[in-house]
Amino acid sequence: MQFIDLKAQYRKLKSDIDSRIQTVLDHGQYILGPEVAELEDRLAARTGAKHCIGCASGTDALLMAMMALEIGSGDEVITSPFTFFATGEMIALLGAVPVFVDIDPETYNIDPVRIEAAITPRTKAIMPVSLYGQCADFDPINEIAARHGIPVIEDAAQSFGGTYKGRESGNLSTIGCTSFFPSKPLGCYGDGGAIFTSDDSLARRMLELRNHGQDRRYHHTSIGINGRLDTIQAAILLAKLDVFDEELAARQKAAATYNKLLKDPVQAPVVRDGYTSPYAQYTIEVDDRDAVQQALQRAGIPTAVHYPVPLHLQPVFRHMNLGEGGFPLSERAGERVLSLPMHPYLEASQIVQIAETLRRVVADVTTVTK
């Protein structure tokens, strides 16, 4: 059993993917070839954002978004401590300070009620993370940001394809950033990402930043990076985009089956009314996670933990002196979350097998610990 079955997806899409790649090999425009612009147009149309800028990774997307907003040394960016490291890493890389706000324990996303108290004169952006696929609660976040004149960057690395009150993830704030890492709901065969905005000035700035800060060849108006999306990766994404809605429906069907079968023994994901999730991960909470995970492994069921150590407890941020207990909801989640196999080609019989095994394992672990 595969945790994420990219081989099954490739078998289904092989002719389209191979044809797209061959076209790139034939025309030879490996950097910023026509497939990149085609992908950007399709992604912008899908989200409703005016601009899409393809880039080398979701991490670079976050970096360029903050560079475009001129975030630098001594500035503060409000974000969640319960996320992949890149969210805080890119803030710190620019010399800014990540200011953490604890999560909503049901959605694992930043709690809007806690944000305003974290705003200071040095706050230059709010960066909510749309974790596991479900969007953060953007209406109150955007309202708070507007009152204080602060831009909002959505870290949508896991939520592309999800919606919030009828709007697409990636187009919910000033800038949206996503990832096309292979395991994402829409993933390429390497690193890749995209940035979305409807602000013409920011779009122009990020286009320059991704190509060494140049507005035309050999004319550099700023210090940028090499953040370009490879043409071959764009071609692969175009082939996958043709079946993306079908795959989203399959993911949501799988999640619904999981929810039905796991209603009692574990804390299943909560997707709130008005939201849809692409289920980048199907993440539950369990007691005695290590014992449960080991028992599932012995039964041939792969699992993963996203993410065991919140950012404020990472060694590199030790100098911030935040320590254990500072963000108790994030810390509790880090100790309890467990992600189960999730992909569009997961068969109903496999979900039944996983659920039945999990129910048995949880019962056994509970008996042993009593």
Side-chain angles (χ1 to χ4, degrees):
M1 185 182 298
Q2 301 294 312
F3 184 72
I4 297 171
D5 197 344
L6 295 177
K7 292 180 180 179
Q9 183 192 49
Y10 177 62
R11 285 193 295 270
K12 178 177 178 178
L13 303 178
K14 185 179 189 309
S15 61
D16 291 338
I17 290 173
D18 290 356
S19 175
R20 282 280 191 176
I21 292 173
Q22 188 61 53
T23 298
V24 176
L25 296 176
D26 288 341
H27 68 55
Q29 298 176 58
Y30 301 116
I31 304 297
L32 297 181
E35 286 79 5
V36 175
E38 181 184 353
L39 178 68
E40 291 171 339
D41 287 345
R42 287 183 63 180
L43 295 179
R46 182 185 182 93
T47 62
K50 188 174 181 182
H51 303 281
C52 172
I53 299 101
C55 58
S57 68
T59 302
D60 279 347
L62 296 175
L63 178 63
M64 288 189 286
M66 287 186 284
M67 290 173 72
L69 293 169
E70 299 183 344
I71 292 169
S73 180
D75 294 335
E76 295 177 351
V77 178
I78 293 172
T79 194
S80 165
F82 190 58
T83 179
F84 180 61
F85 186 66
T87 308
E89 179 185 30
M90 291 302 98
I91 298 169
L93 185 67
L94 290 172
V97 178
V99 175
F100 300 122
V101 170
D102 215 348
I103 59 171
D104 178 318
E106 278 194 344
T107 67
Y108 306 109
N109 290 328
I110 193 169
D111 186 347
V113 173
R114 303 170 184 266
I115 289 176
E116 198 146 23
I119 294 174
T120 76
R122 294 183 298 279
T123 304
K124 294 300 171 65
I126 302 171
M127 189 187 294
V129 181
S130 295
L131 200 69
Y132 300 150
Q134 181 167 198
C135 297
D137 192 357
F138 273 90
D139 281 353
I141 294 171
N142 287 332
E143 288 170 9
I144 292 166
R147 283 201 301 270
H148 292 269
I150 300 168
V152 177
I153 304 168
E154 182 188 9
D155 182 341
Q158 298 178 21
S159 58
F160 186 78
T163 62
Y164 172 79
K165 300 182 180 180
R167 291 129 56 198
E168 293 281 338
S169 178
N171 188 28
L172 300 175
S173 60
T174 316
I175 302 173
C177 301
T178 198
S179 168
F180 301 129
F181 187 78
S183 63
K184 303 301 183 189
L186 181 63
C188 54
Y189 289 162
D191 281 309
I195 311 169
F196 301 91
T197 187
S198 293
D199 184 302
D200 293 342
S201 177
L202 287 174
R204 184 171 57 255
R205 177 97 174 101
M206 289 185 287
L207 277 169
E208 294 174 5
L209 287 169
R210 81 167 175 184
N211 198 18
H212 300 286
Q214 60 182 358
D215 61 354
R216 58 185 184 275
R217 191 167 174 81
Y218 300 133
H219 189 265
H220 303 266
T221 59
S222 64
I223 300 297
I225 64 171
N226 178 359
R228 302 174 302 233
L229 176 67
D230 289 340
T231 307
I232 283 179
Q233 300 299 350
I236 292 163
L237 289 166
L238 284 166
K240 291 191 177 190
L241 196 55
D242 289 338
V243 299
F244 187 49
D245 285 326
E246 176 186 327
E247 291 190 342
L248 286 176
R251 284 175 172 272
Q252 288 158 358
K253 183 178 179 181
T257 304
Y258 267 135
N259 289 345
K260 182 178 178 180
L261 297 174
L262 296 176
K263 186 175 181 180
D264 298 324
V266 301
Q267 181 176 320
V270 175
V271 176
R272 291 185 170 159
D273 290 343
Y275 298 66
T276 65
S277 175
Y279 289 98
Q281 286 88 28
Y282 184 89
T283 302
I284 62 173
E285 281 192 34
V286 294
D287 297 324
D288 202 351
R289 180 182 62 205
D290 290 347
V292 171
Q293 188 173 30
Q294 290 165 16
L296 290 174
Q297 184 177 11
R298 289 193 294 270
I301 295 173
T303 59
V305 177
H306 308 98
Y307 300 94
V309 183
L311 299 193
H312 68 288
L313 298 180
Q314 294 290 345
V316 72
F317 291 130
R318 191 174 294 141
H319 67 281
M320 297 175 69
N321 297 315
L322 296 172
E324 291 187 12
F327 303 94
L329 298 173
S330 295
E331 292 167 29
R332 185 177 189 275
E335 294 168 354
R336 293 174 52 81
V337 292
L338 184 67
S339 296
L340 303 179
M342 170 55 75
H343 57 83
Y345 304 95
L346 198 60
E347 297 176 3
S349 60
Q350 292 177 305
I351 300 173
V352 170
Q353 177 190 350
I354 294 164
E356 289 179 347
T357 305
L358 180 59
R359 293 174 70 92
R360 184 176 67 252
V361 165
V362 168
D364 291 345
V365 168
T366 301
T367 300
V368 168
T369 55
K370 281 186 176 178

